[in-house]
């Protein structure tokens, strides 16, 4: 596991450089599908693939950027699902983005995830690693990831990060989101899953939701690359992650790119989500 963490750290340093030097977002010539960003996504994908494929214990890699997973070493014991540059549409406006990793054994199911990790590329580069029941925060300082502290959520927070197109929210979902605001919760939503969840984790709690909507009944966020890794982090930090009714880590995706509605938070907020969604 240590060698996987080291490979992720090396990738993170290379991705940080790629983000910093790439000429993005300022040119009017960029096409409407964001061609330049796509190139950066692919560059980050290649960096991670290169670093992780050198690790002997890696069996399979599955990237958010690729349709199918890739066998690396048939004698390896870990499967890694990763999103190389999550929130990449935010790079051109200079908001924080991230990389997410889920480390699995045997298959890409929530039950078989044994560690997870994400990196935030913001004003500083931070890395969060969840393993053996602990969630540890590291800060990149002069080429090294220094351990900062363990992350623990409070029972109740005060931040509300509601994702999805509001127009397509179910009425009961809107009511629930509003109920938190009425209780004094503050809106914190940048549109990048990594920094939005990082903020909730480091400020002690709150709720991040990406529900099923009328246009996307299964939500937007991908189980293997996004939802499961953060679910483990929230659970180990003392919070919870559900799809409305059940633990997301009890889910079994049919395909590596499957999505799921998801709610991450401290216990108080997740209880409210359950009560709301139980009635549906
Ligand atoms: P993006 O499409 O920019 O990569 O993973 C997808 C994601 O970003 C998450 O990082 C983010 O939380 C979510 O989409 C934002 O979606 P909405 O714009 O629908 O809120």
């Amino acid at each position: 596991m240590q060698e996987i963490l080291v490979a992720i750290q090396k990738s993170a340093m290379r991705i940080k450089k790629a983000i910093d030097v790439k000429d993005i977002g300022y040119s009017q010539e960029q096409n409407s599908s964001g061609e330049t960003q796509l190139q950066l996504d692919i560059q980050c994908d290649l960096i991670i693939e290169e670093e992780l494929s050198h690790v002997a214990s890696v069996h399979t890699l599955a990237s958010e950027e690729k349709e199918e997973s890739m066998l690396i070493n048939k004698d390896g014991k870990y499967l890694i699902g990763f999103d190389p540059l999550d929130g990449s549409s935010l790079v051109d406006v200079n908001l924080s983005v991230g990389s997410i990793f889920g480390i699995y054994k045997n298959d890409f199911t929530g039950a078989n995830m044994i560690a997870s990790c994400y990196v935030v590329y913001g004003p500083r580069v931070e890395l969060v690693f969840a393993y053996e029941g602990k969630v540890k925060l590291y800060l990149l300082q002069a080429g090294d990831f220094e351990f900062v502290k363990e992350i623990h959520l409070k029972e109740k927070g005060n931040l509300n990060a509601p994702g999805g197109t509001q127009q397509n929210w179910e009425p009961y979902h809107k009511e629930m989101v509003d109920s938190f605001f009425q209780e004094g919760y503050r809106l914190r939503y940048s549109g990048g899953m990594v920094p939005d969840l990082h903020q909730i984790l480091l400020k002690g709690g709150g709720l991040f939701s990406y529900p099923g909507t009328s246009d996307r009944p299964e939500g937007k966020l991908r189980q293997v690359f996004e939802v499961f890794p953060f679910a483990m982090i929230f659970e180990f930090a003392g919070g919870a992650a559900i799809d409305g009714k059940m633990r997301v880590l009890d889910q079994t995706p049919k395909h590596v790119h499957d999505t799921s509605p998801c709610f991450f938070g401290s216990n108080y907020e997740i209880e409210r989500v359950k009560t709301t969604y139980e009635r549906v």
Side-chain angles (χ1 to χ4, degrees):
M1 189 54 64
Q2 186 56 27
E3 30 175 42
I4 292 177
L5 181 59
V6 169
I8 290 175
Q9 291 174 340
K10 284 188 190 160
S11 314
M13 288 187 259
R14 290 176 62 189
I15 289 174
K16 169 67 177 154
K17 280 196 186 132
I19 294 170
D20 285 351
V21 301
K22 195 82 185 171
D23 174 24
I24 35 145
Y26 304 111
S27 163
Q28 292 303 312
E29 286 153 31
Q30 211 178 359
N31 71 20
S32 59
S33 61
E35 200 175 49
T36 327
Q37 282 160 31
L38 194 71
Q39 286 170 6
L40 186 60
D41 280 351
I42 290 170
Q43 206 184 331
C44 297
D45 186 37
L46 291 174
I47 290 173
I48 293 173
E49 188 184 305
E50 199 179 293
E51 295 294 344
L52 286 175
S53 57
H54 292 144
V55 179
S57 59
V58 173
H59 182 281
T60 295
L61 291 178
S63 165
E64 200 262 349
E65 290 294 326
K66 295 202 179 79
E67 194 45 37
E68 300 299 334
S69 49
M70 224 170 60
L71 175 70
I72 300 295
N73 169 16
K74 64 177 178 28
D75 298 321
K77 59 176 172 178
Y78 298 117
L79 291 79
I80 305 184
F82 62 93
D83 186 349
L85 198 64
D86 188 80
S88 55
S89 60
L90 300 174
V91 174
D92 59 355
V93 289
N94 203 15
L95 285 174
S96 298
V97 290
S99 303
I100 313 170
F101 304 83
I103 298 138
Y104 302 80
K105 259 187 183 168
N106 303 323
D107 57 25
F108 288 113
T109 56
N112 279 332
M113 192 166 64
I114 53 158
S116 76
C117 183
Y118 69 84
V119 181
V120 199
Y121 311 99
R124 299 184 295 192
V125 177
E126 292 184 327
L127 181 151
V128 171
F129 185 56
Y131 185 49
E132 294 180 331
K134 291 188 172 150
V135 185
K136 294 182 177 174
L137 171 69
Y138 298 84
L139 172 66
L140 180 61
Q141 290 278 282
D144 272 324
F145 279 90
E146 287 178 8
F147 173 71
V148 179
K149 61 175 181 178
E150 273 187 33
I151 297 178
H152 299 282
L153 284 162
K154 296 180 189 146
E155 272 303 291
K156 175 186 184 309
N158 64 359
L159 304 181
N160 194 5
T165 309
Q166 299 194 12
Q167 195 185 21
N168 301 326
W169 285 354
E170 297 295 345
Y172 53 84
H173 181 80
K174 181 174 168 27
E175 238 175 71
M176 182 193 75
V177 170
D178 288 346
S179 73
F180 284 112
F181 287 130
Q182 278 150 19
E183 211 180 307
Y185 280 65
R186 292 146 66 100
L187 176 66
R188 291 290 183 271
Y189 192 77
S190 74
M193 181 186 197
V194 175
D196 287 339
L197 284 168
H198 190 57
Q199 178 162 207
I200 289 174
L201 283 162
L202 291 186
K203 301 277 185 196
L207 179 68
F208 174 98
S209 44
Y210 208 106
T213 51
S214 54
D215 56 334
R216 290 175 185 247
E218 292 311 312
K220 174 184 185 188
L221 300 177
R222 293 168 201 236
Q223 290 163 305
V224 170
F225 316 114
E226 297 172 308
V227 179
F228 293 167
F230 272 108
M232 175 172 275
I233 289 165
F234 270 73
E235 288 192 359
F236 284 2
I242 61 170
D243 64 1
K245 293 179 176 164
M246 71 182 245
R247 250 181 109 221
V248 289
L249 287 177
D250 287 334
Q251 295 172 336
T252 299
K254 287 197 182 67
H255 187 270
V256 84
H257 287 273
D258 282 357
T259 61
S260 166
C262 53
F263 301 83
F264 304 91
S266 21
N267 290 322
Y268 175 84
E269 293 84 8
I270 294 296
E271 277 311 309
R272 171 91 50 92
V273 176
K274 276 188 193 155
T275 318
T276 307
Y277 276 74
E278 260 161 25
R279 284 191 264 123
V280 181

